[in-house]
Amino acid sequence: IREVLLGNFYNFLWFRKSRLDAAVKRMVRDHIHFREDIVRRAEAVIDALGGHFSYSCMHVRRNDFQFREAWISAEAIVSNTRVLLRKGETLYIATDDAPQRRHHSVGTVSFDPAKPAQANHSWFAPLTKEYPTRFLSDYKGRLDGRTPPRLYASIEQLVCARARVFVGTYLSTMTSYIHRLRGYMADVPSKKLL
């Protein structure tokens, strides 16, 4: 394949024989991994959060997300996740939210993939009121100063994969891959698709 597959590989590669399909999926699971420098950076964030499975995590897609039916308010997120999250437990939020975006309409702000983590996350105030929240921007000092912004999403996928519980965004490929990673990891305590 010479082109980049936007989305999950298992949605685009089909095999007539189910044994070959399963073999290819096992090969991807067992042999295609994040680079060591990405894992090291993610581990620095995980350690700062208290270690593996000591925090909860959610992925909230905001900027260029095209599926309007997946957009819900921060208040609705609090209500929908209250039974899953523990009071006082750190909640790490992986997001592409930009401080200038404050409306639910799609396409009002141009998306800049080089700026996925912003210092101002006021949209998340209802969550911050309920839980001690953290974002990647809180841990920039723990990342190597030469961390290219294009690696932020990969780092966040690994951070989310190692959370006690993970809640994602409906129809998001990033969320989908985090669920897949959690499924690959034998020690993940909860593999529910939330």
Side-chain angles (χ1 to χ4, degrees), residues 50-88:
H52 296 255
F53 314 123
S54 65
Y55 57 94
S56 291
C57 187
M58 66 176 53
H59 170 237
V60 180
R61 183 70 188 271
R62 303 256 315 125
N63 274 340
D64 69 337
F65 199 50
Q66 63 199 12
F67 302 107
R68 291 175 189 240
E69 65 271 23
W71 284 65
I72 63 173
S73 69
E75 293 81 8
I77 293 172
V78 170
S79 176
N80 292 345
T81 60
R82 189 165 275 127
V83 297
L84 302 168
L85 305 177
R86 296 177 181 158
K87 203 75 166 152

Side-chain angles (χ1 to χ4, degrees), residues 82 85-90 129-132:
R82 189 165 275 127
L85 305 177
R86 296 177 181 158
K87 203 75 166 152
E89 180 179 45
T90 299
K129 183 178 169 187
E130 295 282 326
Y131 307 100

Side-chain angles (χ1 to χ4, degrees), residues 19-33:
R19 284 179 35 179
L20 180 58
D21 184 63
V24 169
K25 289 174 182 168
R26 275 193 307 276
M27 188 273 306
V28 169
R29 178 197 66 201
D30 296 343
H31 300 289
I32 298 178
H33 303 117

Side-chain angles (χ1 to χ4, degrees), residues 54-189:
S54 65
Y55 57 94
S56 291
C57 187
M58 66 176 53
H59 170 237
V60 180
R61 183 70 188 271
R62 303 256 315 125
N63 274 340
D64 69 337
F65 199 50
Q66 63 199 12
F67 302 107
R68 291 175 189 240
E69 65 271 23
W71 284 65
I72 63 173
S73 69
E75 293 81 8
I77 293 172
V78 170
S79 176
N80 292 345
T81 60
R82 189 165 275 127
V83 297
L84 302 168
L85 305 177
R86 296 177 181 158
K87 203 75 166 152
E89 180 179 45
T90 299
L91 174 62
Y92 181 88
I93 301 174
T95 185
D96 61 350
D97 184 49
Q100 72 270 28
R101 181 178 190 82
R102 295 293 163 248
H103 303 288
H104 293 285
S105 59
V106 176
T108 59
V109 173
S110 62
F111 176 65
D112 183 354
K115 298 179 181 177
Q118 302 291 327
N120 176 354
H121 293 291
S122 59
W123 187 86
F124 294 97
L127 286 153
T128 302
K129 183 178 169 187
E130 295 282 326
Y131 307 100
T133 57
R134 300 292 180 266
F135 299 87
L136 185 61
S137 57
D138 296 324
Y139 299 105
K140 292 285 179 78
R142 292 204 175 242
L143 298 177
D144 177 330
R146 298 168 291 155
T147 301
R150 64 180 159 59
L151 298 184
Y152 293 166
S154 297
I155 292 166
E156 289 201 299
Q157 285 179 320
L158 288 170
V159 171
C160 291
R162 302 306 289 168
R164 180 187 64 81
V165 66
F166 170 70
V167 178
T169 297
Y170 179 61
L171 297 175
S172 164
T173 54
M174 180 158 165
T175 286
S176 178
Y177 192 67
I178 293 165
H179 282 306
R180 183 163 281 271
L181 285 173
R182 289 173 67 83
Y184 290 161
M185 298 173 179
D187 62 341
V188 169

